[in-house]
Amino acid sequence: MQTQEPIVYQGQFGEFSIDDHDRQGVILYRSGLAIAALSFAIAVGLAFSQNFAWITPLYFVFWTALGVSLFTIHIYLKPLHLALQAFWAIGGLASIGMLLLSSEPLALYVYQHPITIFGIGFTFAALTGIFFKEAFCFNRFETKFLTPIVPSLLLGHLSGILPLVWEQVLLGGWAVLFAIFAIRKLIQPIPPDIGDKSVFEYLKHKQA
């Protein structure tokens, strides 16, 4: 593989360069999002057709891909980054616990037992964190909608205030907008996803 020469940029706190390692991290981040969006869209389609069995493995593909993105995303605030990773881990552990407790397909069990959102919902809280970050940093229209859609659907189902038709509308909208977001990320230039590395260095030294 041909190695590109590092490109030097002027950051807020000094010069920084972007190398192949940085680019590979962004590619992994975006690949994780693409796989997560694809598996989520397929799972939603299966849910609409009342075919729940395959949603469980698709969820864990989604969860794993989301984890890859969360460990390669560039976020200036380290506590926020660690919090999103912790949410992802809690959601995954809760999901595994549900599989051990019930023989039902995971999606059906969660749907029939809304209280489980207090566990598996952490996975989607982590995803919402990515949507919020992308909306804040890049002003993306789809993530501006996704940021409120995800908690609205989860909390609406948890509280029982959303009728089924609205849950379906929100879930379908989530799948479509997530796919749009993932596709747009694939064609976005790489440097903006890396951010200003001089800020990372400044914050690192400030916390030391």
Side-chain angles (χ1 to χ4, degrees):
M1 182 182 295
Q2 186 175 2
T3 301
Q4 296 186 35
E5 289 294 324
I7 301 175
V8 178
Y9 296 86
Q10 180 61 48
Q12 185 175 352
F13 297 100
E15 292 184 342
F16 67 93
S17 62
I18 292 178
D19 54 27
D20 283 342
H21 178 73
D22 297 318
R23 297 185 186 93
Q24 290 165 5
V26 172
I27 291 170
L28 283 173
Y29 167 63
R30 296 178 180 181
S31 298
L33 288 176
I35 294 170
L38 177 61
S39 56
F40 185 80
I42 295 172
V44 170
L46 291 173
F48 284 161
S49 63
Q50 302 289 303
N51 186 353
F52 296 104
W54 283 99
I55 296 179
T56 300
L58 282 168
Y59 166 79
F60 283 103
V61 171
F62 159 84
W63 180 80
T64 302
L66 178 62
V68 170
S69 293
L70 284 168
F71 279 89
T72 51
I73 190 174
H74 290 77
I75 298 178
Y76 292 128
L77 298 178
K78 189 173 182 179
L80 175 59
H81 195 177
L82 293 175
L84 295 181
Q85 292 171 347
F87 286 174
W88 169 82
I90 293 169
L93 290 173
S95 306
I96 294 171
M98 291 174 209
L99 284 181
L100 297 175
L101 288 173
S102 174
S103 59
E104 292 181 289
L106 182 61
L108 189 60
Y109 183 77
V110 172
Y111 181 77
Q112 294 176 342
H113 302 83
I115 194 70
T116 57
I117 290 174
F118 281 117
I120 195 172
F122 278 96
T123 297
F124 301 106
L127 177 63
T128 304
I130 291 180
F131 292 153
F132 177 81
K133 180 261 184 186
E134 291 282 342
F136 181 80
C137 293
F138 300 112
N139 198 30
R140 293 189 176 279
F141 84 90
E142 65 272 22
T143 52
K144 288 181 179 179
F145 286 102
L146 284 164
T147 300
I149 282 176
V150 177
S152 295
L153 175 57
L154 296 180
L155 295 176
H157 183 67
L158 176 64
S159 63
I161 63 174
L162 280 180
L164 177 60
V165 64
W166 276 106
E167 290 186 347
Q168 292 173 334
V169 168
L170 290 174
L171 186 61
W174 177 355
V176 171
L177 291 172
F178 191 7
I180 292 172
F181 166 59
I183 292 170
R184 292 186 70 197
K185 288 303 294 183
L186 291 175
I187 60 176
Q188 177 184 342
I190 284 179
D193 261 342
I194 297 170
D196 185 343
K197 290 175 67 177
S198 72
V199 174
F200 287 106
E201 285 299 317
Y202 171 78
L203 293 174
K204 181 180 178 181
H205 290 303
K206 186 177 180 180
Q207 294 169 359

